[in-house]
Amino acid sequence: ALTYHYETQCIPTPGAWLAHQLPVWFQKLSVVATYVIEVAVPVLFFAPLRRLRLFAFYCQVLLQVLIILTGNYNFFNALTIVLAFSLLDEEHVGRWLGRPKRRQGNAPLSPPAWPPSLGSVLATLLELSTYGLLLCWTVQYFSLEINWDKKLLDSKVAFTYHEFTMWLRTVTLPLVGVAFLSLSWEILVAMYRCACVRGCFWKLWATLQWAIMATATVSLFAVSLVPFTYIDHESNGKLWPGIHQLFGAVERFQVVNSYGLFRRMTGVGGRPEVVLEGSYDGHSWTEIEFMYKPGNVSAAPAVVAPHQPRLDWQLWFAALGHHHGSPWFSALVLRLLQGQRDVIRLVQVDESRYPFSARPPTFLRAQLYKYWFTAPSEGSPGPAPWWRRQHIQEFFPTVSLGDPTLESLLSQHGLK
């Protein structure tokens, strides 16, 4: 998948070009790591051992940072990292800030006791066993094998889609149970701390805060079960009907959400890209360069996250089908023919880079190309190309203001 992903995602970065050059065995191994970090490691969010939770935190942050470096997914990855920060505690953050670890009462810590306590030994054994199981399962389910002759690590998926679906059905509701126990423990610990507060007034005030926060947290947890169990419809159907009703009552506020990345690899055989062209005479055509999406093969991919340029983003979707599937494209053509400044600024903020800033084009059309990342060996005179491309077909016919074809499309989509 990653041999296609980096060049076919919505808006690649220069890091995507570099990642695309990596050998195939490394791309396969990257997919394995993604499966492990996205499917197996999140269970450790609820681990009783602090070091396992920290391990899960750094795995998630590593994956999100790598995605940020190789793709523009607006604030999606930043939100994921912010959520992962809930796995950290004050002591660990204090280490980042250079604060020494201290006992209660600010007394300095004494050296670790030797021999270690039974609890410490058991915790270490549990941690090592967890890492060992993760490694063994990864080797088993992805057939990891060192190829000594080629000096690489071979891997392939060693489970079927049906097996994965059945596994998902088996673990979804138990994971809900684990999360509920973890939440219940935190609520009970918070209640105990309220009981330890001195003074009747302050104890009452702490208890009131606890009651409000506990109610809000349990409610949020309950409604989040609905989008969480979307990954398995059978588990979703087993939820208590009251939870579905509660979710339905607050759904319009988007308090909780599920998310889905693109599930199917697009652009196999080349990245489809729409290129707009304008002309004054209908014979000499000039390409209209967008700020972020691929166009000029010598222009470096943009870095725009956490901003999401909606027009460039939607043009990626438009290129995957016929222009009839993207009725807004006809409106875009109309506004560019009219020279509407607000729309032109979505294409190019710098007027010097927009070829029709002096006066609008008389004619517009769009062509469909296939784009591929170049290889380091593909040198050429002039600026080094980041892309190579091939013309496929016309995407949108040649139109002008008042053209019957354009008028028909605008009427058809209710855009007149």
Side-chain angles (χ1 to χ4, degrees):
L2 289 187
T3 56
Y4 299 102
H5 162 73
Y6 293 116
E7 67 181 2
T8 60
Q9 61 187 310
C10 288
I11 304 178
T13 64
W17 184 91
L18 294 171
H20 184 75
Q21 314 305 325
L22 295 170
V24 174
W25 70 267
F26 190 87
Q27 307 285 24
K28 288 185 176 182
L29 198 61
S30 300
V31 176
V32 173
T34 302
Y35 266 105
V36 173
I37 294 174
E38 287 283 335
V39 178
V41 170
V43 179
L44 301 181
F45 292 169
F46 310 109
L49 295 182
R50 173 176 174 271
R51 284 184 297 191
L52 287 177
R53 295 195 297 272
L54 291 177
F55 170 75
F57 167 80
Y58 283 109
C59 284
Q60 288 298 322
V61 171
L62 173 64
L63 177 63
Q64 299 308 320
V65 169
L66 290 174
I67 295 174
I68 290 171
L69 293 174
T70 58
N72 290 288
Y73 291 97
N74 52 84
F75 46 82
F76 166 77
N77 308 105
L79 287 179
T80 307
I81 292 173
V82 168
L83 286 171
F85 266 88
S86 62
L87 298 169
L88 301 181
D89 53 33
E90 187 177 359
E91 178 187 328
H92 194 75
V93 175
R95 286 185 181 179
W96 288 357
L97 302 176
R99 296 173 184 169
K101 182 180 177 183
R102 291 184 172 274
R103 284 180 186 267
Q104 199 169 3
N106 289 332
L109 280 172
S110 57
W114 187 262
S117 64
L118 178 61
S120 176
V121 172
L122 291 176
T124 302
L125 288 175
L126 178 59
E127 184 182 1
L128 293 175
S129 300
T130 302
Y131 298 146
L133 281 174
L134 273 176
L135 182 60
C136 289
W137 286 338
T138 303
V139 171
Q140 177 184 350
Y141 290 112
F142 295 97
S143 300
L144 294 186
E145 188 177 296
I146 298 176
N147 188 325
W148 296 106
D149 295 332
K150 298 181 179 179
K151 296 181 181 179
L152 51 82
L153 188 59
D154 283 328
S155 59
K156 64 179 180 180
V157 176
F159 54 88
T160 65
Y161 175 79
H162 176 71
E163 288 172 336
F164 180 78
T165 304
M166 294 306 296
W167 174 84
L168 203 59
R169 185 165 299 169
T170 303
V171 302
T172 300
L173 288 180
L175 279 176
V176 170
V178 170
F180 178 74
L181 290 175
S182 177
L183 175 61
S184 301
W185 173 255
E186 293 295 334
I187 290 174
L188 290 173
V189 169
M191 184 173 65
Y192 171 74
R193 288 173 180 162
C194 291
C196 295
V197 174
R198 294 181 179 180
C200 291
F201 174 77
W202 295 112
K203 192 186 296 287
L204 181 63
W205 174 241
T207 304
L208 178 63
Q209 292 181 79
W210 170 85
I212 293 172
M213 294 302 294
T215 301
T217 306
V218 171
S219 301
L220 191 64
F221 175 80
V223 296
S224 72
L225 295 180
V226 176
F228 172 73
T229 51
Y230 284 162
I231 57 177
D232 177 51
H233 293 293
E234 187 174 298
S235 300
N236 184 267
K238 290 180 180 179
L239 292 177
W240 180 50
I243 293 178
H244 283 282
Q245 293 171 3
L246 182 61
F247 176 77
V250 300
E251 185 177 9
R252 65 182 182 275
F253 301 116
Q254 298 190 19
V255 178
V256 294
N257 300 276
S258 62
Y259 72 88
L261 298 180
F262 309 115
R263 308 176 192 205
R264 291 182 176 84
M265 195 55 55
T266 60
V268 176
R271 170 199 182 92
E273 198 68 61
V274 174
V275 175
L276 264 170
E277 297 177 338
S279 172
Y280 290 120
D281 57 12
H283 300 289
S284 177
W285 294 91
T286 303
E287 291 188 12
I288 296 175
E289 187 75 13
F290 284 71
M291 288 184 286
Y292 308 113
K293 82 176 195 70
N296 181 356
V297 294
S298 297
V303 177
V304 295
H307 172 58
Q308 183 183 27
R310 291 294 295 169
L311 180 56
D312 297 68
W313 191 274
Q314 288 302 319
L315 280 165
W316 181 85
F317 287 99
L320 298 177
H322 195 271
H323 70 81
H324 285 291
S326 303
W328 56 267
F329 193 85
S330 302
L332 170 65
V333 169
L334 173 66
R335 300 310 179 197
L336 292 179
L337 287 170
Q338 293 172 339
Q340 196 167 97
R341 310 310 296 180
D342 290 343
V343 177
I344 291 172
R345 278 195 291 270
L346 295 176
V347 178
Q348 280 291 349
V349 173
D350 184 357
E351 288 192 3
S352 65
R353 299 191 61 187
Y354 185 69
F356 303 101
S357 56
R359 63 186 178 95
T362 307
F363 301 95
L364 274 179
R365 69 182 185 185
Q367 303 292 340
L368 184 68
Y369 285 83
K370 287 287 184 74
Y371 276 67
W372 297 267
F373 272 143
T374 56
S377 58
E378 294 181 46
S380 64
W386 291 80
W387 301 93
R388 58 185 176 88
R389 72 181 188 180
Q390 177 185 345
H391 180 261
I392 302 301
Q393 63 187 29
E394 183 181 71
F395 178 80
F396 194 88
T398 301
V399 294
S400 58
L401 285 178
D403 187 285
T405 302
L406 181 60
E407 294 294 311
S408 173
L409 287 169
L410 294 170
S411 299
Q412 180 182 340
H413 300 306
L415 298 172
K416 285 278 285 182

